[in-house]
Structures are given as C-alpha cells and as structure tokens.
C-alpha cells in the first residue's frame, strides 16, 4: 500500500510539474517550480538541488534571472513560517487548497512583503496569471484576493505585535518565533541556552542572505598576491574581510573579478574555492591546537571534500577520506582534481563502524547535525527540526568509534554546523567521561553579523 501511495504521489507531482512549466516564464514561477519539487515524494535532498534542477533547464536567454529566482526561492523558505501564519489568517481553511497553489501564494507573499526591487503590482499580476494558467480563473481570483488583502495590511506585518495570538502576552516567545520565522522549539532552545538577546541575533542572522566567502589556494603560485587583490577589490575594500588563514568574505556582495581575472575563471583554474566564513574561521583555530599538518589526516565525514581540500592546500597530508553518502563522496575526486591536489584513498563507510582498525595520524569528523547554524544557507532545515532528537547519540557514537582508532597523543577534531548544546558541548562532555581529554572547544561568535554558527573541539 505504501508503494502505491508513493507512486500515486509521484504521478500527481509529475502532472502538476507539467502544468507549472506551461505558466508564463518568470523568476517567481521558476521559484514556485523549485518549491514544488521539494514537496514531491522523490524530493531532492536539499533546497539547493531543487533550485539547480529548475535553473539548469532554463534556456540561455532566460538565465539572466537566476539571481532573482534564487532570491524568491530562498527568501520564501527563510520566511516560510511567518508567511504561512499570515496566509492562514487570510485563508480560513488553507489545507483545502492544492498544495502547489499554497506554494505559489508563499512565493508571491514573499515578493510583495520583502522584495524591494520588484513592484508589488508586478508580483501580484505574475502570481495571478500563473494561478489562472495552472488552475483556471476561479483560483486565479482567489490568489488575487488573498494578495490584495495582504497588501492592505501595510507595514503592520513588519511589527512583532501583529503576530501575538489571543491569550498570549505581548512580545511572547511564541509571537517572536513567528515574527522571526523560526520553529518555536528552536527559538525556545536558543533563548534557554544563550539568553534572549543572543537568540534574537541568531534568529535575525538566520533570515539574512548568506555572505559569499572564498578560499585562496595557498599552494598555488602568487597566492598571497591574489588574496591581497581580493581584499582590496575596487569598490569593495570597506566591505571585504579576511577570514581564516587564506579566506576572504564579501558582506557587500562578491565582485565579478579580482583585478583583471574573473572569479569564475579563478574558480575553474582551481586557484579559488567557495567556502563559508564560519568553516574557514573554525578550521584555522582548530588547526593551531590539533596540529593538523603534523601527521596524516583522515577526514572521516568528508562530504564532497571542502575541509580536506583546505587542509591539503595548507600543507597537510590528507591520507584518507570517508563518508556515509555516495552522493557526496563521489564529488570529491573532481573537486581535488580541479585544485590540482592528489586524490586521497576513499571509502564509503558509516564511521560508527570505522573502515580501519587504527589510524596513525589525526582524525577530522565534521559529523551529521541538525544544521541550526546554517539556516540562512539551508533554510529548508526549518521544515525538519522535528528530526533533531537522534543526532546527539549518533554524533557520540561516531566520535567514540573514531577515537578508538587513534594512537596515543593523536587528535580527534569534532565539528558541527549547529547551535545546540546537546550536539556540541554535551557530546564533548560525554566523550571526556569516556576517557578523552578535551584540549580546546570553540564556537563561532554569536554576535558576529554574518558568520554561520559552527562548533568545534579537539
């Protein structure tokens, strides 16, 4: 019966996808298509994959609208909790509407309330035309009515007091969670763990566009000169920041070129890589304590190899990489080859059952986590916070199994990209109780304006 239900859902998804493709082409419609893919039974593993699936199918002439499509798509996901609450006030029984139509309303509501560079009347017109094309004039009129009612609320929707429900205290945590578009459980967790002021800063940071950051390949000729050029790019100097050992972040938006060389070419040549500021900051700090360049490194949860590549570029001998996901692991060789690095031996392995009995060097474990530190880049995580309960035990099991592979005096570097003590400090405490000695633990600064939330321990 389950297989039959999945098959039926796949057919319905495919049928609606065909209709969506017939809607008048626009950035709003393409963002709608990407959101629809996330709802399918065979949904992509991430929001990024869903968006890329849509953008890669666009004709070359329409790719100029990629950035606006991404803004609609990611913005709607970042503000989804808040927007859904607003739409429920306008739609007494929204669950009776087709799910794809509700997703169209979500994207359009984001455009009307938050997208300053597109006039509200243009958003409304595009959304109504798309609804009419897919569902007919009746639901087109409904979309028109809902969005016009939303528009009539004016600036009041940008005040936290608008989100207080009957029986709640003014400025209640529940209202603030709605206003800040966070699951109430996450806001409560941050407020309990870090205090209200920090919780507010983390919530606001999770709503912002991620800041572009890059890593210069330290081992390539003229690396220092390239980094200096990036740090002093014309028109960007006041907004450009050094991060980590070889990184550069662009809070004001990444330039198209460094001097006469385009960033796209520098990336293609392997002289530059994209890597978040938080990841680079934390790796640089942990590198000093763990001495990651002093012995062979095993990256035990390597993903596509971003941190392994950083280590190799800066002189470490990356002797082994493993990951439990073939989807991620299979990307590593191409990544290393672009950077002109030696591809290390690879293993598809669940590190709760390590693929080697003993490792003579250090081990890096960027373990699976709830991802609460990267909500700006991965806004779809907001939809899955109910799955957090299992992470602490999984993380402890991985770290302890890997620690048993270490020789005396070698280091295990434990990392997450989440903001949750149960997955960070409390896992470290359990590992200390099991006989490991913690040399250092670090958290990216909570008050940093854009750095993603990451934790690490040696």
């Amino acid at each position: 019966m389950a297989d039959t239900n999945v098959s039926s859902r796949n057919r319905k998804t495919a049928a609606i996808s065909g209709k969506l493709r017939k809607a008048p082409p626009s950035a709003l419609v393409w963002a709608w298509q990407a959101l629809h893919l996330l709802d399918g039974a065979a949904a992509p593993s991430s929001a990024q994959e869903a968006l890329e699936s849509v953008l890669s199918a666009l004709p070359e002439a329409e790719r100029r609208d990629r950035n606006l499509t991404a803004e609609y798509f990611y913005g709607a996901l970042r503000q989804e909790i808040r927007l859904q609450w607003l739409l429920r006030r306008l739609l007494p029984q929204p669950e009776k509407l087709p799910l794809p139509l509700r997703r169209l309303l979500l994207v359009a509501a984001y455009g009307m309330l938050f997208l300053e560079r597109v006039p509200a009347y243009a958003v409304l017109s595009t959304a109504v035309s798309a609804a009419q094309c897919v569902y007919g004039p009746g639901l087109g009129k409904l979309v028109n009515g809902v969005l016009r009612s939303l528009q009539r609320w004016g600036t009041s929707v940008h005040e936290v007091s608008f989100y207080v429900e009957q029986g709640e205290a003014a400025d209640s945590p529940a209202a603030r969670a709605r206003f800040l578009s966070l699951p109430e459980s996450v806001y409560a967790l941050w407020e309990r763990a870090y205090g209200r002021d920090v919780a507010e800063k983390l919530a606001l940071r999770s709503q912002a566009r991620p800041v572009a950051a890059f890593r210069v390949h330290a081992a390539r000729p003229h690396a220092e000169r390239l980094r200096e050029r990036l740090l002093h790019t014309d028109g960007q100097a006041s907004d450009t920041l050094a991060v980590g050992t070889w990184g550069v972040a662009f809070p004001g938006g990444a330039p198209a070129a460094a001097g006469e060389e385009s960033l796209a070419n520098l990336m293609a040549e392997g002289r530059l890589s994209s890597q978040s500021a938080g990841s680079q900051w934390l790796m640089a700090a942990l590198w000093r304590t763990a001495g990651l360049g002093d012995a062979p490194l095993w990256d035990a949860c390597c993903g596509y190899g971003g941190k392994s590549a950083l280590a190799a570029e800066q002189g470490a001998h990356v002797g082994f990489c493993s990951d439990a996901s073939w989807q991620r692991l299979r990307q590593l060789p191409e990544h290393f080859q672009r950077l002109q690095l030696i591809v290390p031996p690879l293993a598809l392995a669940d590190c709760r059952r390590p693929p080697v009995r003993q490792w003579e060097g250090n081990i890096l474990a960027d373990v699976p986590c709830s991802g609460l530190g990267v909500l700006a880049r991965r806004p779809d995580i907001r939809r899955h916070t109910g799955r957090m309960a299992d992470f602490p035990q999984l993380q402890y099991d991985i770290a302890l199994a890997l620690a048993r592979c270490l020789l005396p005096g070698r280091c295990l570097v434990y990392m997450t990209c989440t903001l949750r003590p149960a997955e960070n400090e409390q896992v470290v405490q359990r590992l200390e109780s099991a006989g490991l000695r913690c040399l250092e633990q670090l958290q990216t600064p909570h008050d940093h304006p854009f750095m993603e939330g990451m934790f690490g321990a040696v």
Side-chain angles (χ1 to χ4, degrees), residues 10-84:
N10 279 335
R11 286 195 298 272
K12 290 179 181 177
T13 300
I16 293 295
S17 295
K19 290 184 178 180
L20 261 60
R21 284 193 288 271
K22 295 178 182 177
S26 68
L28 187 153
V29 167
W30 297 324
W32 179 26
Q33 290 173 359
L35 279 177
H36 175 64
L37 285 180
L38 279 182
D39 292 324
S45 61
S46 69
Q48 182 180 359
E49 285 186 22
L51 181 61
E52 280 302 317
S53 176
V54 171
L55 294 179
S56 63
L58 296 183
E60 192 64 38
E62 293 174 337
R63 294 197 176 191
R64 64 185 182 279
D65 291 326
R66 289 174 65 96
N67 290 342
L68 182 57
T69 302
E71 174 67 16
Y72 268 116
F73 176 71
Y74 283 116
L77 283 172
R78 290 187 195 109
Q79 299 292 343
E80 182 173 17
I81 292 171
R82 177 175 174 176
L83 294 173
Q84 295 285 30

Side-chain angles (χ1 to χ4, degrees), residues 186-440:
V186 173
Y187 184 84
L189 163 68
W190 286 350
E191 188 176 45
R192 187 169 59 249
Y194 311 123
R196 171 166 281 204
D197 287 348
V198 171
E200 295 279 313
K201 290 175 182 176
L202 295 177
L204 290 171
R205 195 168 71 186
S206 78
Q207 290 184 318
R209 298 178 194 170
V211 167
F214 299 89
R215 182 187 77 243
V216 173
H217 192 326
R220 298 291 288 276
H222 313 301
E224 188 62 54
R225 189 186 309 168
L226 173 57
R227 189 166 185 261
E228 285 300 310
R229 285 211 311 270
L230 288 166
L231 285 169
H232 299 94
T233 302
D234 290 345
Q236 294 285 339
S238 62
D239 281 335
T240 308
L241 298 173
V243 293
T245 308
W246 285 93
V248 180
F250 296 96
E260 297 181 355
E261 297 181 276
S262 73
L263 262 61
N265 285 344
L266 291 167
M267 298 273 285
E269 293 171 2
R271 297 169 60 196
L272 199 64
S273 297
S274 176
Q275 188 172 28
S276 74
S279 179
Q280 293 190 67
W281 181 90
L282 189 58
M283 280 288 287
L286 297 175
W287 187 287
R288 291 189 290 271
T289 300
L292 290 179
D294 299 340
L297 179 66
W298 170 15
D299 188 350
C301 302
C302 65
Y304 78 100
K307 295 179 180 65
S308 306
L310 179 153
E313 289 173 5
Q314 298 182 24
H317 169 45
V318 179
F320 187 34
C321 289
S322 61
D323 198 88
S325 166
W326 171 243
Q327 184 70 21
R328 294 190 294 266
L329 188 65
R330 68 178 183 176
Q331 299 179 58
L332 187 147
E334 182 180 351
H335 182 54
F336 268 56
Q337 288 161 4
R338 178 181 66 85
L339 297 169
Q340 298 181 16
L341 298 171
I342 297 172
V343 179
L346 305 177
L348 182 65
D350 181 340
C351 282
R352 288 174 292 184
R353 296 175 291 280
V356 299
R357 289 180 179 272
Q358 192 176 79
W359 182 251
E360 63 180 9
N362 300 313
I363 302 175
L364 171 64
D366 185 1
V367 297
C369 69
S370 56
L372 299 183
V374 293
L375 288 176
R377 177 161 48 89
R378 288 288 313 280
D380 48 314
I381 289 174
R382 287 172 170 81
R383 294 180 166 192
H384 308 301
T385 53
R387 303 174 185 174
M388 294 194 303
D390 295 336
F391 280 116
Q393 187 61 47
L394 170 65
Q395 293 154 345
Y396 174 74
D397 290 344
I398 289 173
L400 188 61
L402 293 172
R404 288 171 175 158
C405 299
L406 287 173
L407 295 174
R410 296 302 188 189
C411 291
L412 170 70
V413 177
Y414 176 87
M415 294 179 67
T416 74
C417 58
T418 196
L419 294 164
R420 186 181 177 220
E423 298 179 55
N424 295 339
E425 296 88 350
Q426 291 173 26
V427 172
V428 171
Q429 290 169 6
R430 290 183 68 188
L431 291 170
E432 288 183 298
S433 298
L436 279 79
R437 181 162 59 94
C438 183
L439 303 180
E440 183 177 23

